[in-house]
Amino acid sequence: MACGHSVPARRVASTHSHLLKGNASEPSFEWVGTDLEQVFLARPGCRREARMSSEKKDEMKSVGRRGFLRGASALGAGAAIGSALLPGCDDSSTPASQVEWDEAWDVVIVGGGGAGLVAALSAIEHGAEDVLILEKGSELGGTTAVSGGQIQAAGTSFQSAMVSGDTPERHLEYYLQAAEGVADEDLLRTLTENAQAAVDFMVSKGLTYVGVYGVSPIPTVDADLMVPRIHIPSAGGEDALQGGAAHVSVLKDAAEADGVETYLEAPVLGLVKDENEGVVGVKAMVGGVESFLQARLGVVLATGGFDRNQAMNKEFSPQQMWELETGVCYCVPENQGDGIKLGISVGAGLSGLGGTIGYPGATMGTAEEIGGIWVNRQGQRFCNEEGHYAYKMLHVFGQERHQAWAVFDQSVADVGGEALGGIFGGWSADLSAEIASGLISRAETLEDLAAALDMNAAQLARTVASWNEDVGEGADPLFGRTLALRPLETGPFYAVPVTSVNLGSCGGLKIDTSCRVLDMEGAAIPRLYAAGMAAGGFIGPYYPGSGTAVLSTVVFGRIAGEQVAGMLPQEGSV
Ligand SMILES: Cc1cc2nc3c(=O)[nH]c(=O)nc-3n(C[C@H](O)[C@H](O)[C@H](O)COP(=O)(O)OP(=O)(O)OC[C@H]3O[C@@H](n4cnc5c(N)ncnc54)[C@H](O)[C@@H]3O)c2cc1C
């Protein structure tokens, strides 16, 4: 494997999967990591509770209020489905002139995750009457439902209870500094200016927030901008749904109350385009039948990222490809970049591709809170181990052969595997299982450890000597780390590769601040909108901190819904 790891990918994955608390094929996890910057993995049972009853599913899968003309499709089953690069979706759109509609709606929303649900509610709120969500999976929620549901915002009452003086302008400045000049300032301004309203919107649907915390240090961002902004959601008391399950459940209840129609197991396969009107509908599988659904006002693409599509990752995000090959991804399997491909089929431009929501899952407990350092193949440290997770993963990816290890000594190992195992919920108490599986390397001396890892032994010795000297004086002058400043001096010594718990890809369809999908030249494609992580341009080289993705689903979902509802119906629509 060109960008492989010394521990084979399959071995890392299986080693981890037996440590998961829950069924590896449909994981349910408890939070076990740092309290500095949490990734909330849905509590056991949350996802189950958030599911719809089977009766409800049947009801929703049945043909909608406006279903008619079924089976009269001009192209029928003969239409091409899929392409070599991006299987599952058409690689070209269908001309409206060749289509007979099976159904007609005001607004068709592609994807029933966080952004899709918000866009549907917003479209109804702004006057659209017939709003349909087409969801590829067997339930609503997407990755949002398994996420922490945490959202960044400045100036909310929840935040004000903890810190004063924070503003959308400061929030914007933090995002701009983290983006290192490569994100769209207008989109970031839109996000930050509407963040407080996004939190209010969620509260109006029945959500509350039970805590607010901050992002871990990022070297390119001024320390005074790093204040608590990440809001932790809850549906109510301790027994209520928490995290993304809570976030999605209030949206689902509101969508049902507002009369939003939903077809489950209804993947959208292509867009229908009219020369004059723009995007006028979609081709989708509805009840197992390929159907054409007209969207009188427009279509919103809310299909999430291309998280799990390795062909797209290879084209657009080598870091995402590497994280999937060497780590694990917790996004829903449906998120294959379909919306991005649908956009491309009608000429959409792309923006913000490349970073990841990468989280160094296997090693959180060691370097950051307990001790140890991260080194590369040259035996050198390369970042502040207590820094922001996605910033660190970008820098791991930037090392030779994308390799880095957390190195620690026996005094750290003595803390025990339960605390050391990071997000995976602990290793065996004396690490023997992980040493036997090859996940953890152990050697009596640093020199032997370096030899086992094919690492520069002389440099590792210099790095550790210099680290020990610095922490003896209580500081890390190289990277400014402040936590767990402990020397590495008691053999045996240990090393574990830093691999990713991947929470999604970054980048997608180019949009403007009205969430209109833009072509390569920056012109809007009429009647086509995008929201959430199907869109791109608001994230720089790495994900800038928990709460950004969910913020994009609520802010851009609301805008997309409002904008599409404000369109005049296409001429001659049924
Ligand atoms: C474990 C975990 C924890 C996380 N925690 C946080 C957090 O606390 N805060 C935060 O900001 N971010 C978090 N993230 C990231 C964040 O959850 C996602 O990036 C975000 O929720 C994506 O929202 P979305 O609406 O764009 O996509 P999704 O919510 O994934 O929805 C996309 C939907 O589109 C559907 N779909 C796909 N293709 C088609 C098609 N062709 N036709 C019809 N439907 C289709 C999918 O089935 C899915 O339901 C986390 C991610 C993970 C994995």
Side-chain angles (χ1 to χ4, degrees):
M1 200 181 346
C3 56
H5 215 287
S6 66
V7 179
R10 225 175 265 127
R11 183 139 51 93
V12 172
S14 62
T15 303
H16 290 163
S17 63
H18 85 272
L19 295 166
L20 298 177
K21 292 181 175 173
N23 179 341
S25 62
E26 191 192 350
S28 55
F29 306 96
E30 288 175 306
W31 167 250
V32 287
T34 173
D35 61 3
L36 273 182
E37 191 168 357
Q38 303 178 7
V39 173
F40 181 101
L41 297 173
R43 284 183 178 177
C46 283
R47 187 147 166 86
R48 196 169 53 246
E49 288 161 36
R51 280 188 186 142
M52 225 175 294
S53 70
S54 54
E55 295 89 317
K56 185 70 206 157
K57 270 192 201 172
D58 289 341
E59 190 189 311
M60 285 185 148
K61 258 192 278 186
S62 69
V63 178
R65 284 172 289 170
R66 307 294 300 228
F68 58 97
L69 295 175
R70 176 168 308 291
S73 314
L75 297 186
I81 299 172
S83 73
L85 176 62
L86 311 170
C89 278
D90 281 4
D91 54 4
S92 63
S93 58
T94 307
S97 57
Q98 296 178 21
V99 166
E100 279 186 42
W101 299 110
D102 295 297
E103 302 183 17
W105 298 83
D106 282 348
V107 176
V108 171
I109 291 174
V110 186
L117 283 162
V118 172
L121 287 168
S122 175
I124 295 267
E125 183 188 335
H126 291 94
E129 286 178 3
D130 296 327
V131 176
L132 173 68
I133 294 177
L134 291 166
E135 167 53 46
K136 184 185 194 177
S138 59
E139 58 188 317
L140 293 171
T143 295
T144 309
V146 299
S147 79
Q150 296 167 5
I151 186 168
Q152 285 208 25
T156 67
S157 57
F158 302 101
Q159 190 204 32
S160 305
M162 294 188 65
V163 284
S164 57
D166 196 30
T167 61
E169 291 73 30
R170 283 168 46 83
H171 195 187
L172 171 63
E173 186 55 28
Y174 143 78
Y175 273 142
L176 287 172
Q177 289 187 13
E180 298 181 27
V182 295
D184 183 319
E185 183 168 345
D186 291 337
L187 290 180
L188 283 173
R189 182 172 291 104
T190 302
L191 271 185
T192 50
E193 282 180 350
N194 289 285
Q196 188 178 344
V199 166
D200 291 344
F201 173 85
M202 292 307 302
V203 169
S204 78
K205 303 301 173 205
L207 202 65
T208 189
Y209 294 91
V210 292
V212 184
Y213 70 100
V215 176
S216 299
I218 300 176
T220 60
V221 181
D222 297 343
D224 73 312
L225 293 172
M226 306 293 282
V227 299
R229 293 191 187 99
I230 306 171
H231 293 57
I232 304 171
S234 165
E238 269 183 20
D239 295 335
L241 292 175
Q242 310 293 330
H247 179 98
V248 163
S249 87
V250 301
L251 292 176
K252 280 199 318 195
D253 289 350
E256 199 175 337
D258 285 4
V260 173
E261 285 281 350
T262 306
Y263 294 172
L264 299 175
E265 295 173 356
V268 171
L269 307 172
L271 296 178
V272 180
K273 194 176 174 189
D274 178 271
E275 246 177 53
N276 302 314
E277 295 282 358
V279 174
V280 292
V282 302
K283 179 169 70 176
M285 294 300 285
V286 178
V289 179
E290 195 175 283
S291 309
F292 286 94
L293 295 92
Q294 188 180 44
R296 298 184 199 96
L297 304 181
V299 171
V300 178
L301 299 175
T303 48
F306 50 99
D307 316 312
R308 286 179 173 270
N309 186 327
Q310 280 295 60
M312 283 182 87
N313 289 332
K314 194 171 178 185
E315 292 289 320
F316 300 140
S317 179
Q319 187 185 342
Q320 179 75 7
M321 184 181 87
W322 163 74
E323 289 188 21
L324 263 62
E325 277 182 357
T326 56
V328 288
C329 176
Y330 287 140
C331 297
V332 292
E334 288 83 7
N335 285 5
Q336 299 282 342
D338 293 358
I340 296 168
K341 188 192 171 196
L342 292 169
I344 292 172
S345 75
V346 292
L350 301 177
S351 185
L353 300 162
T356 70
I357 316 181
Y359 198 84
T363 46
M364 288 303 290
T366 56
E368 188 168 312
E369 292 181 325
I370 301 166
I373 56 174
W374 287 14
V375 294
N376 58 18
R377 176 164 289 282
Q378 288 74 37
Q380 294 165 320
R381 287 178 70 216
F382 54 89
C383 69
N384 177 351
E385 295 88 348
E386 78 190 42
H388 165 56
Y389 55 85
Y391 177 84
K392 289 189 299 196
M393 285 315 296
L394 173 72
H395 286 269
V396 172
F397 182 67
Q399 303 309 304
E400 187 181 306
R401 298 191 215 174
H402 316 305
Q403 284 182 315
W405 293 264
V407 172
F408 52 96
D409 70 357
Q410 186 60 41
S411 72
V412 169
D414 286 342
V415 171
E418 182 61 30
L420 294 176
I423 208 166
F424 289 106
W427 293 323
S428 57
D430 60 357
L431 310 183
S432 55
E434 292 70 33
I435 292 167
S437 76
L439 175 66
I440 294 179
S441 303
R442 180 177 63 182
E444 289 305 318
T445 65
L446 282 170
E447 198 176 359
D448 289 347
L449 188 70
L453 299 171
D454 194 19
M455 187 188 287
N456 184 325
Q459 181 55 47
L460 178 64
R462 278 195 289 273
T463 298
V464 171
S466 145
W467 167 258
N468 289 349
E469 193 182 327
D470 289 340
V471 299
E473 292 166 15
D476 171 25
L478 203 50
F479 295 111
R481 176 170 153 189
T482 59
L483 297 175
L485 297 177
R486 295 185 188 168
L488 274 73
E489 49 195 11
T490 318
F493 296 92
Y494 300 77
V496 58
V498 181
T499 54
S500 180
V501 170
N502 179 272
L503 308 182
S505 60
C506 296
L509 297 166
K510 192 170 168 61
I511 57 169
D512 64 10
T513 56
S514 298
C515 294
R516 299 181 303 175
V517 175
L518 306 178
D519 69 15
M520 294 298 280
E521 269 69 52
I525 298 170
R527 300 185 188 278
L528 188 63
Y529 300 82
M533 296 302 276
F538 51 93
I539 291 173
Y542 55 89
Y543 185 67
S546 296
T548 305
V550 168
L551 179 63
S552 79
T553 69
V554 182
V555 169
F556 292 144
R558 293 186 74 207
I559 292 173
E562 177 176 358
Q563 291 294 318
V564 71
M567 293 293 289
L568 290 173
Q570 54 182 276
E571 247 178 57
S573 51
V574 277

